[in-house]
Amino acid sequence: MNSSPELDWQRSVFYPATVLVEEAAADYPLTRSILSRLKNTQVVTVKRPAGDDFSSLSRLYSPRTTLFLALHRGRFLKACPGTAESYRCCLYQILHLGLGCNIGCSYCVLQGYLNNPFITQFVNLDDAFAELDEELAKPGVFYRIGTGEFTDSLFMDPLTNLAPRLIDYFGGCKNAILELKTKSVAISSLLDYPGEIGETVVSWSLNAPAVTAREEGLAASIEERLQAAARCRERGFRIGLHFDPLLYFPGWEEGYRQTVAEIFKYLKGSDIIWISIGAFRFMPQVKEVLRENHCQSNITAGEFIRGLDGKQRYFSAIRRRLYRFLVDEIKSYAPEVFIYFCMEDQYLWQDTFGYAPADNIELGHWLDKCCYRYAGS
Amino acid sequence: MNLVKPGRCRLTEIDFADRSFPFSFGEIPPKLQASIKHVGILQPPLLLESEAGYIIVCGRQRLEAFRRSSPPTQELDILAAAGACRKELFLRALWENLAQREFNPVEIADIHAAAGELFSREELLSEIQPALKIPKKERFYRRYQALAGFSKDLRKLVAAGVIDPESVDLLREWHEPEYQALIELIRETGLRRNKLREVIGRLDDLARRDGVSPCLPLAAAVTAAKDDEGRIVIAELRHQLKVKLYPHLTAAQSDFAEKLAKLSLPPALILDPPPDFEGGEYRLSFSFSDSRKFQLCCRALNEVAPEDIDELISRT
């Protein structure tokens, strides 16, 4: 394994210039704790925004530098939206504790989905844990739960210190595994975690170095992410990796080859609980938004066709080439590692792996088994 | 609006060049011209007093018609607004004109741009855009602000409906030589609306993908799409652009067509691949009008070797 100069694991990607605090959220412990960590930050109390209020507020406060502390009034635990039945999804659950991040990836589809433009942290954690208590009490169900779908799980952990609380909670769960998904290296709270790690997976989203440099804004470099992964593995965390979105660009083979080689400089195959792969896809209406927000990026100008779920996807022959190449590369280092596709059809599964999950339930079971295997290790 | 009062002024006192309130467009209707010639202006126009003279708020066409049929020193009845809030006058003129007719996209863009001089961005989004039936989104704000600044030739094409407003979203990032090449293409081919939008979209994608001006893929496609007499064949132009933008898809389509032809199926049998080859479901359909034709189809199907079907649907 590589030894490199120590990174600043406390390095937060995000220090807001302004914090908007929803009136009803002002007295929550997480609000107080976040505000106590911020110096020279403008704090503004606002009524619960409704309708056009967000667009009015965004004209007063820049969404890129503003943190919104709010109460979440809906369900915290939600099924991953996945996609239509034509594509296999893994029945993942999302613990919805925040929205958005400031990393600024050009391909982020959240740009086209969220009405709330602000990086948002929900502060009513007790409500979230109460809901989890109730949900996880259901017998005979295993849950894979992540916090990194609508936000980055760790990008402002030095401000929220949320990761240790989640690890505490899930450490006591027999039927659930927590996945923290990130592109940052803000892992100090994980490294300093005093107790047993339990069943927590820390995952990094990876891409080709050229994509990272061009399309992933403030994200840590691939090498930094993998250094952080290695440190987390040393500390006892399971490591997940996600190649999503794969992009097709001149030089993609060399780019992804480099990243795979880099992975195995820092990790062994047995350190990795799973690797997911998904080629770039987006709803047609998001194209305009992505172009507007990232006018230098050309990622939406590829050979996209309309998928069976209505999303724009690379033509299947391109996806097949991307998948086969990446899977072969990974397997050449670690034949035993479990690789799966995110939102892909059974034909591409079959063409790449020689097998395909019969349905979403089977894919979900395969991933659950990875968790059992690890729990037993 | 209580600062508006009836008054009289001479035509020479009206600043016809000022279009701060840009609500009249196009030619004066002949019936209006005839009416004003015979009986004058019955409904007084609303004018704003300024140091340089009166600015037309409402009634430009009536005044233009009156000017054509009257000497410059002619006096007329007006409603004069002295020191009134320009924003209020603008809204009044806007609503009065909206009640009379639909505006085309270029007229909307000019109104939008003029409103931009008076109203904040937020007011434009929340008040003016809904009045103009434009969604309250930034995207539309940018579309109409850009359209107002387009060249005269391009504005004409948008106003005439040749270029649709959605294409404006792409065109606003193009440059003058690229506009000229597009206008030339439209002139030569008569391309319009949906097909034109497809062409613009593909040119824009190719330009972005390859980091070049849209002129380059356009010139290449035009050269390849000319017939023996040098005319551009629209279907070929679209095909050329499709091949450039979707090389793998078009190759797969050609390959499928070639393999299908080898099966020599009767014309009544139609075998379609999945749309864009996405998913694995192929579709076979056939038509018949009597039992003999039905039998023919069945026989033809029976004669197809399984390995030929395997090859036809193979995914490589």
Side-chain angles (χ1 to χ4, degrees):
Chain A
M1 301 294 106
N2 240 19
S3 67
S4 308
E6 193 76 340
L7 282 170
D8 174 11
W9 307 122
Q10 182 72 21
R11 190 175 95 196
S12 177
V13 179
F14 185 53
Y15 283 104
T18 305
V19 181
L20 301 179
V21 182
E22 183 190 320
E23 267 177 356
D27 289 332
Y28 278 76
L30 184 55
T31 303
R32 288 202 297 270
S33 132
I34 290 172
L35 293 180
S36 73
R37 288 187 172 93
L38 291 168
K39 305 275 180 278
N40 305 322
T41 299
Q42 179 190 18
V43 179
V44 182
T45 304
V46 294
K47 287 200 161 58
R48 182 186 176 191
D52 290 339
D53 294 348
F54 277 122
S55 52
S56 309
L57 283 169
S58 69
R59 280 187 267 279
L60 295 172
Y61 308 103
S62 163
R64 289 297 292 271
T65 56
T66 301
L67 171 64
F68 180 43
L69 301 178
L71 300 188
H72 183 53
R73 288 153 173 102
R75 296 275 301 167
F76 283 92
L77 197 63
K78 299 175 179 195
C80 175
T83 200
E85 269 299 297
S86 333
Y87 300 95
R88 297 285 172 261
C89 290
C90 71
L91 306 179
Y92 195 68
Q93 299 283 320
I94 296 164
L95 182 59
H96 190 42
L97 298 177
L99 276 176
C101 78
N102 77 327
I103 293 176
C105 300
S106 62
Y107 52 70
C108 179
V109 292
L110 292 181
Q111 295 168 92
Y113 284 108
L114 303 179
N115 292 326
N116 170 1
F118 297 108
I119 295 159
T120 299
Q121 176 66 55
F122 300 124
V123 295
N124 47 334
L125 292 185
D126 288 344
D127 296 339
F129 289 124
E131 189 185 314
L132 279 171
D133 286 343
E134 195 179 316
E135 182 68 31
L136 301 185
K138 289 179 185 168
V141 186
F142 188 82
Y143 296 84
R144 280 169 287 107
I145 297 174
T147 56
E149 290 298 305
F150 297 136
T151 182
D152 182 289
S153 298
L154 296 174
F155 83 115
M156 61 170 178
D157 200 62
L159 290 183
T160 61
N161 207 34
L162 208 51
R165 293 195 61 181
L166 292 169
I167 297 167
D168 271 344
Y169 182 88
F170 282 93
C173 292
K174 296 274 179 245
N175 60 337
I177 192 165
L178 168 69
E179 183 178 31
L180 300 168
K181 213 184 278 185
T182 189
K183 289 192 192 99
S184 81
V185 293
I187 54 166
S188 60
S189 68
L190 307 184
L191 300 182
D192 297 340
Y193 185 73
E196 287 290 312
I197 300 299
E199 306 306 320
T200 299
V201 178
V202 190
S203 291
W204 273 267
S205 173
L206 297 178
N207 222 307
V211 173
T212 297
R214 214 173 45 223
E215 313 289 348
E216 293 189 339
L218 301 175
S221 71
I222 294 299
E223 193 184 3
E224 288 172 336
R225 289 179 222 180
L226 290 167
Q227 285 176 27
R231 289 299 304 273
C232 283
R233 183 61 194 134
E234 279 170 29
R235 178 62 191 86
F237 290 95
R238 293 89 170 81
I239 303 300
L241 300 174
H242 298 282
F243 280 94
D244 201 343
L246 281 192
L247 295 179
Y248 184 70
F249 60 96
W252 64 272
E253 284 166 301
E254 187 47 36
Y256 288 114
R257 183 182 288 128
Q258 273 179 35
T259 297
V260 172
E262 199 75 8
I263 292 172
F264 294 101
K265 278 188 202 167
Y266 290 96
L267 298 167
K268 299 193 295 285
S270 57
D271 294 334
I272 302 167
I273 186 168
W274 50 52
I275 298 180
S276 80
I277 302 178
F280 184 37
R281 57 216 175 269
F282 53 94
M283 289 305 287
Q285 63 271 24
V286 173
K287 181 173 180 175
E288 175 72 24
V289 182
L290 299 191
R291 286 186 168 193
E292 195 65 52
N293 294 347
H294 301 274
C295 53
Q296 297 306 313
S297 174
N298 67 357
I299 56 170
T300 57
E303 197 168 347
F304 292 100
I305 52 94
R306 187 180 169 86
L308 301 173
D309 53 359
K311 287 180 185 165
Q312 297 283 297
R313 296 168 169 267
Y314 287 123
F315 175 52
S316 54
I318 294 176
R319 279 154 42 217
R320 190 173 298 113
R321 281 185 66 192
L322 286 165
Y323 295 154
R324 281 181 174 168
F325 179 84
L326 189 56
V327 168
D328 286 349
E329 280 294 308
I330 295 167
K331 292 283 180 187
S332 72
Y333 288 91
E336 76 281 15
V337 77
F338 179 73
I339 305 175
Y340 69 101
F341 290 145
C342 182
M343 300 186 208
E344 198 43 270
D345 72 29
Q346 55 178 318
Y347 305 100
L348 281 162
W349 269 89
Q350 195 68 43
D351 294 346
T352 311
F353 296 112
Y355 58 83
D359 51 27
N360 294 349
I361 294 171
E362 186 172 29
L363 176 56
H365 283 162
W366 290 354
L367 283 151
D368 294 346
K369 274 187 197 163
C370 293
C371 305
Y372 307 149
R373 192 182 70 201
Y374 256 94
S377 70
Chain B
M1 297 307 293
N2 51 4
L3 294 173
V4 174
K5 55 183 190 296
R8 281 183 76 74
C9 78
R10 284 201 180 88
L11 274 170
T12 48
E13 293 176 83
I14 301 172
D15 182 1
F16 281 87
D18 189 307
R19 290 193 63 89
S20 306
F21 301 89
F23 296 99
S24 294
F25 306 91
E27 294 299 307
I28 301 164
K31 284 181 182 172
L32 177 67
Q33 182 70 66
S35 156
I36 284 179
K37 186 177 174 186
H38 288 99
V39 297
I41 296 179
L42 299 179
Q43 186 194 349
L46 174 60
L47 307 180
L48 172 65
E49 279 183 43
S50 77
E51 284 180 10
Y54 287 101
I55 295 169
I56 304 167
V57 179
C58 293
R60 177 174 288 272
Q61 287 205 326
R62 277 171 278 154
L63 285 165
E64 293 278 12
F66 189 66
R67 182 159 71 151
R68 283 186 193 178
S69 54
S70 315
T73 51
Q74 180 69 49
E75 281 200 344
L76 69 154
D77 290 328
I78 60 165
L79 288 171
C85 170
R86 278 191 176 227
K87 278 183 173 180
E88 279 181 36
L89 288 175
F90 192 95
L91 286 173
R92 181 168 170 164
L94 172 63
W95 284 108
E96 187 180 287
N97 280 280
L98 281 170
Q100 290 172 26
R101 68 185 187 94
E102 296 285 323
F103 293 117
N104 72 42
V106 174
E107 292 168 347
I108 290 174
D110 286 344
I111 295 168
H112 195 271
E117 300 289 318
L118 294 174
F119 296 86
S120 68
R121 195 182 182 96
E122 191 167 350
E123 288 169 328
L124 259 180
L125 283 162
S126 61
E127 287 182 46
I128 305 297
Q129 288 193 189
L132 291 167
K133 296 180 190 160
I134 306 172
K136 287 193 279 186
K137 291 187 175 168
E138 288 280 342
R139 174 187 164 196
F140 295 95
Y141 174 92
R142 287 187 289 264
R143 174 187 293 177
Y144 286 99
Q145 290 286 314
L147 179 52
F150 273 11
S151 69
K152 198 175 160 191
D153 288 344
L154 215 49
R155 284 161 55 92
K156 260 189 196 170
L157 291 167
V158 179
V162 174
I163 297 176
D164 68 359
E166 279 187 41
S167 299
V168 171
D169 295 341
L170 299 175
L171 291 175
R172 67 193 170 84
E173 288 181 28
W174 290 26
H175 300 102
E176 195 50 38
E178 295 153 1
Y179 294 142
Q180 287 311 319
L182 184 71
I183 290 167
E184 186 61 30
L185 176 74
I186 293 167
R187 196 175 296 137
E188 277 192 45
T189 60
L191 261 173
R192 53 183 289 125
R193 302 294 295 185
N194 295 349
K195 284 180 186 166
L196 181 60
R197 184 170 63 215
E198 177 199 282
V199 167
I200 291 171
R202 285 183 179 165
L203 288 172
D204 194 68
D205 274 342
L206 285 166
R208 277 173 186 272
R209 187 192 71 185
D210 300 337
V212 298
S213 157
C215 289
L216 247 72
L218 176 58
V222 162
T223 305
K226 282 190 174 164
D227 64 12
D228 295 343
E229 290 165 15
R231 284 178 305 215
I232 302 167
V233 180
I234 292 177
E236 186 55 29
L237 177 86
R238 292 170 64 205
H239 176 70
Q240 289 294 328
L241 291 173
K242 185 179 173 187
V243 170
K244 282 271 183 235
L245 188 59
Y246 301 100
H248 295 85
L249 175 63
T250 46
Q253 285 168 335
S254 302
D255 184 53
F256 181 83
E258 214 171 278
K259 288 174 181 167
L260 185 62
K262 280 186 194 160
L263 296 183
S264 303
L265 295 175
L269 271 166
I270 310 286
L271 181 55
D272 288 317
D276 294 333
F277 296 93
E278 188 66 6
E281 304 289 326
Y282 287 70
R283 189 182 179 88
L284 175 71
S285 59
F286 64 92
S287 53
F288 59 93
S289 51
D290 55 44
S291 58
R292 192 185 61 84
K293 287 178 182 159
F294 179 81
Q295 289 294 342
L296 272 175
C297 285
C298 293
R299 210 170 301 138
L301 277 177
N302 272 330
E303 282 167 11
V304 177
E307 53 271 24
D308 288 342
I309 290 293
D310 285 340
E311 198 190 335
L312 183 76
I313 66 173
S314 68
R315 300 182 299 269
T316 50

